[in-house]
Amino acid sequence: MEEIEVVYEKGIFKPLKVVNLEDGSKAIVVVKPKGIADILEKFSRKVDKDALKEFLEERR
């Protein structure tokens, strides 16, 4: 099994590199969208205190 990155355009999944398959070959595509949600999840962290609330209280 080989993992191939694809882009979805106008209803068609297009590989981002050359793939040697015969016309009519069947495959399974697992969709793992990459976007802002993935970036947020990667860099998110749990905090013990609310930094915005603390900042605003300091300014009062």
Side-chain angles (χ1 to χ4, degrees), residues 2 4 15 18-28:
E2 182 180 357
I4 301 164
V18 177
V19 180
N20 294 320
L21 292 173
E22 295 181 24
D23 285 342
S25 295
K26 293 185 178 186
I28 295 174

Side-chain angles (χ1 to χ4, degrees), residues 10-47:
K10 300 179 184 175
I12 299 172
F13 288 103
K14 297 180 181 181
L16 297 177
K17 67 177 188 175
V18 177
V19 180
N20 294 320
L21 292 173
E22 295 181 24
D23 285 342
S25 295
K26 293 185 178 186
I28 295 174
V29 176
V30 178
V31 178
K32 294 181 182 178
K34 294 183 179 181
I36 190 71
D38 295 314
I39 295 168
L40 290 173
E41 185 176 320
K42 182 177 180 182
F43 292 104
S44 68
R45 57 192 161 117
K46 186 172 178 148
V47 293

